[in-house]
Amino acid sequence: MSLHATVTILPPAQNSQPVTLPAPWGSEQPRLDRHIELWLSETARLLGATPLPTDESQRSEVLRLALALAEAEQIIKKQQAEIERLETLSLNDDLTGLFNWRGFNRQVSAGLAEAQRTGIGGVLIYADIDDFKKINDTYGHAAGNAVLCEVANLLSHKVRQHDSVGRLGGDEFAALLTRTSAAQGFRRVRDIAQALEQVSILHDGIAISVTASVGAVAFSPDDSPEALLERADRRMYDRKRGRSRIAA
């Protein structure tokens, strides 16, 4: 089958214009013809019209349908890409790029499911920036946002690739440390807590020092997401009020 210089995509692409293809194809023509022949044969097979018809009008109909299928595939790919984009937006915090509450909860459920499969638990960390309202009131919301992004970056660099970090809302963050023993996990918690005591940013020429209260709980394969998040949240507030220490 030789390739015509112009191919018109018929309905359902009713608004399409003829597509002009460069010609001649020179030495590439036989290989291109073979590629198109295989493409049309596959379309014919999907339509139950095998072998590929030899009648020119029937072959033109197969070509029309093949082009329509190709167009439909492109539309589906674009729709899938848009769905994935919207899904990402629904699971991530706009400001920091971390998981939001919904996304982090999904990660906790996945982490607990993995713990049930492997028998290896981990540690859940809650962190709350101290006096964050005062930072906003004193330096402005732009400075507050810069502080949130700095804390988000710090937490992201302190965890491993298979761990998860989320901004749960306002000035509250959480990190899920998976595939680790309680002892190893709490050593990392203490390192993170120490780092959060030394956060400082320069905003509009002003140095802003930040501290955060950190609470953490170990989890086992028998935990539920709701109970685990509640325990970690309570431990963080106990820590903020000075009634607890970081320990396994």
Side-chain angles (χ1 to χ4, degrees):
M1 174 184 179
S2 61
L3 183 66
H4 294 290
T6 356
V7 176
T8 303
I9 302 178
L10 301 177
Q14 296 182 5
N15 297 324
S16 298
Q17 297 297 317
V19 178
T20 303
L21 303 176
W25 293 88
S27 60
E28 295 296 317
Q29 180 70 49
R31 188 172 65 176
L32 182 61
D33 287 347
R34 179 59 180 161
H35 178 74
I36 294 174
E37 192 79 10
L38 290 173
W39 175 47
L40 293 179
S41 296
E42 178 62 15
T43 302
R45 185 187 67 78
L46 292 173
L47 297 173
T50 51
L52 182 65
T54 56
D55 180 77
E56 190 62 31
S57 63
Q58 291 179 333
R59 289 169 71 88
S60 295
E61 177 64 11
V62 171
L63 175 60
R64 185 188 73 81
L65 292 172
L67 291 168
L69 285 173
E71 182 184 35
E73 287 176 355
Q74 289 299 315
I75 292 172
I76 291 171
K77 286 180 180 179
K78 289 180 180 179
Q79 289 175 336
Q80 288 175 335
E82 180 65 11
I83 290 171
E84 290 174 2
R85 186 184 72 83
L86 293 174
E87 178 75 4
T88 298
L89 289 176
S90 72
L91 297 176
N92 291 86
D93 174 54
D94 288 340
L95 177 64
T96 63
L98 301 179
F99 287 111
N100 59 20
W101 177 267
R102 180 186 178 200
F104 190 76
N105 270 266
R106 181 176 291 191
Q107 294 301 110
V108 171
S109 297
L112 290 175
E114 181 184 52
Q116 289 173 352
R117 291 193 305 270
T118 64
I120 304 172
V123 173
L124 177 63
I125 303 171
Y126 255 53
D128 182 270
I129 299 174
D130 298 326
D131 299 320
F132 183 68
K133 183 178 184 302
K134 185 178 179 180
I135 294 173
N136 274 332
D137 292 344
T138 304
Y139 304 105
H141 288 283
N145 287 344
V147 167
L148 293 172
C149 290
E150 182 65 21
V151 171
N153 289 334
L154 186 152
L155 290 172
S156 297
H157 284 92
K158 285 288 183 180
V159 302
R160 298 163 300 178
Q161 188 173 4
H162 56 75
D163 296 330
S164 303
V165 180
R167 180 189 174 205
L168 305 187
D171 58 350
E172 288 192 356
F173 294 82
L176 185 71
L177 311 181
T178 59
R179 308 176 197 174
T180 185
S181 67
Q184 292 173 330
F186 273 90
R187 279 197 293 271
R188 294 172 58 203
V189 172
R190 285 187 282 273
D191 177 57
I192 289 172
Q194 184 178 12
L196 287 173
E197 290 291 328
Q198 303 169 12
V199 177
S200 179
I201 70 165
L202 189 65
H203 182 77
D204 287 343
I206 301 173
I208 304 174
S209 296
V210 182
T211 62
S213 298
V214 176
V217 292
F219 66 84
S220 71
D222 299 325
D223 271 305
S224 69
E226 296 79 12
L228 179 60
L229 288 163
E230 183 180 349
R231 279 168 41 218
D233 188 38
R234 189 166 57 247
R235 185 66 62 86
M236 183 271 293
Y237 276 107
D238 285 345
R239 174 76 174 170
K240 186 178 283 288
R241 298 184 186 104
R243 294 205 302 259
S244 71
R245 62 188 180 86
I246 297 174

